[in-house]
Amino acid sequence: MELQLKPISKDGIPEAISKAELYRYLNEPGEAESICRDILAADPENQTALRLLGLAITDQFTGNTSDRYREADKTFQSLTDRYERVYYFGILHERQAKSQLTAGRSPYMVAPLFEKALDYFEQAEAIRPPGNDDAILRWNRCVRILQSRLGSDWRKLLDTIDAGDSPPI
């Protein structure tokens, strides 16, 4: 038997998107990723599938060097809506930071990733659609994580750290 991927029909894309969302909710990002790749094979510009694919990839972050950060970044770059592209870049950096914290990295080492996420969320807030406070909600979560790990004056603490204080890489 020859192993080859089978294409899905364009008519099946809406149902496939529903399944990808379901698998993400069930914490099965590999399944969601596979479905998104099938959708994108049938419709390479499908924005929902691109967004879900990027999220499914970030759902798999572990804080290790094997994380597919560049692949998620490239996927989010394919989003055509400026707000979504900026917002999901924020999500990407936030999830990278959280995964590295979970992997045991120092909050001081991870804080720049959170700051990058905050920058993207601030940009997204400035161009958000009316009634959409998602970027604000994500901003607040990042700030709470930073405050809980570094204290309320986390920015001052980070400013006092000199890159020369760290051991050579």
Side-chain angles (χ1 to χ4, degrees), residues 30-76:
E31 302 297 330
E33 179 182 348
S34 178
I35 292 168
C36 289
R37 292 189 187 286
D38 290 335
I39 295 166
L40 291 168
D43 180 8
E45 303 298 317
N46 189 296
Q47 296 295 290
T48 303
L50 286 166
R51 182 174 14 90
L52 287 170
L53 174 60
L55 290 171
I57 292 168
T58 65
D59 288 341
Q60 298 173 63
F61 284 176
T62 61
N64 295 317
T65 57
S66 61
D67 286 345
R68 296 178 294 153
Y69 172 78
R70 285 191 180 116
E71 188 177 349
D73 182 77
K74 184 179 177 187
T75 301
F76 289 140

Side-chain angles (χ1 to χ4, degrees), residues 16-136:
I17 286 173
S18 293
K19 286 185 181 358
E21 290 171 336
L22 175 64
Y23 281 116
R24 280 200 65 241
Y25 294 143
L26 293 173
N27 198 25
E28 294 189 32
E31 302 297 330
E33 179 182 348
S34 178
I35 292 168
C36 289
R37 292 189 187 286
D38 290 335
I39 295 166
L40 291 168
D43 180 8
E45 303 298 317
N46 189 296
Q47 296 295 290
T48 303
L50 286 166
R51 182 174 14 90
L52 287 170
L53 174 60
L55 290 171
I57 292 168
T58 65
D59 288 341
Q60 298 173 63
F61 284 176
T62 61
N64 295 317
T65 57
S66 61
D67 286 345
R68 296 178 294 153
Y69 172 78
R70 285 191 180 116
E71 188 177 349
D73 182 77
K74 184 179 177 187
T75 301
F76 289 140
Q77 284 179 28
S78 299
L79 296 173
T80 57
D81 181 79
R82 184 170 175 242
Y83 166 78
E84 281 203 355
R85 193 172 46 253
V86 171
Y87 175 76
Y88 285 103
F89 282 150
I91 293 283
L92 172 64
H93 287 85
E94 177 188 5
R95 289 185 172 189
Q96 185 182 23
K98 285 178 175 178
S99 67
Q100 289 190 11
L101 275 178
T102 301
R105 306 287 186 303
S106 163
Y108 295 101
M109 293 179 67
V110 176
L113 289 171
F114 277 115
E115 287 187 323
K116 187 81 167 172
L118 289 170
D119 181 53
Y120 280 119
F121 291 141
E122 196 165 50
Q123 290 177 48
E125 178 187 356
I127 59 173
R128 75 186 190 270
N132 183 333
D133 290 336
D134 290 350
I136 295 170

